[in-house]
Amino acid sequence: MKKGSRNINKNFVRKAEEFYQKHLKDKLEKEHFGEIIAIEPISGEYFFGDKDIDAALKAREKYPERLVYIKKIGHKAVHFVGCNIK
């Protein structure tokens, strides 16, 4: 990882989540709860996919040089990693 890239990524995620909360949340959570989207926050466009990679590839096709923010609509995270050991 390049020096300083962690801060760039944190800023990108923060700005993208703010964009989602301000412009997309109310609209998308009513009709698309639980679906996966890739948000390109500069343009404001978003792309649906059955999986995160599907949504990301649709966004990359249109914006090959930009970062996209992947979100599961109405959830804090796209994936859950963990286990319960008994």
Side-chain angles (χ1 to χ4, degrees):
M1 185 180 287
K2 293 180 183 177
K3 187 176 181 177
S5 64
R6 180 171 283 159
N7 289 334
I8 292 169
N9 289 335
K10 284 182 182 180
N11 288 333
F12 172 78
V13 169
R14 181 182 50 77
K15 288 179 182 181
E17 183 61 28
E18 286 174 0
F19 179 85
Y20 173 80
Q21 294 294 327
K22 184 175 181 181
H23 300 286
L24 301 175
K25 180 181 176 175
D26 292 338
K27 176 182 177 181
L28 295 178
E29 288 188 5
K30 291 176 186 173
E31 297 179 21
H32 300 282
F33 190 88
E35 293 183 38
I36 304 292
I37 58 168
I39 302 168
E40 196 294 299
I42 295 171
S43 68
E45 287 192 69
Y46 51 93
F47 305 84
F48 291 96
D50 292 330
K51 298 177 184 175
D52 55 354
I53 189 68
D54 299 328
L57 288 173
K58 288 177 185 177
R60 182 174 227 168
E61 186 176 312
K62 186 159 185 183
Y63 299 103
E65 301 298 320
R66 296 185 188 171
L67 293 174
V68 294
Y69 179 63
I70 307 296
K71 180 144 185 90
K72 186 171 186 177
I73 298 170
H75 296 268
K76 290 183 180 180
V78 175
H79 300 286
F80 173 79
V81 179
C83 63
N84 185 5
I85 300 174
K86 292 183 180 188

